[in-house]
Amino acid sequence: MPKFYFHIRMREGFDPDYDGVEIRSGDGVAEAVTIARRMVSELVANEEPIDGLIFEITDGTGTLVAELPFHMCVSLQ
């Protein structure tokens, strides 16, 4: 199962994800984006600031597969 890591880049530095998330679906990047959206939704629901924060999603080899600003992950559905 492929593993993806959700590192957080902020103005003050970098918060690495050492644990990662194993993803079963065939399109790991799309599933990783879905997970990122859920994480941001929880922050917004708890009134946590998301300005200036960016997910740097990497695969198990450390290759960057997506950069997602937190504000781009917010879905008002």
Side-chain angles (χ1 to χ4, degrees), residues 4-10 13-17 21 32-44 50-58 64-74:
F4 290 85
Y5 297 84
F6 295 83
H7 310 293
I8 299 174
R9 172 85 49 201
M10 57 201 99
F14 184 73
D15 183 15
D17 173 10
V21 176
V33 170
T34 299
I35 291 169
R37 287 181 180 206
R38 276 190 239 133
M39 293 169 73
V40 171
S41 294
E42 289 177 22
L43 290 172
V44 170
I50 62 169
D51 292 340
L53 301 177
I54 299 171
F55 277 117
E56 291 183 358
I57 303 172
T58 60
L64 182 68
V65 295
E67 278 187 341
L68 292 171
F70 276 36
H71 71 273
M72 297 289 290
C73 295
V74 176

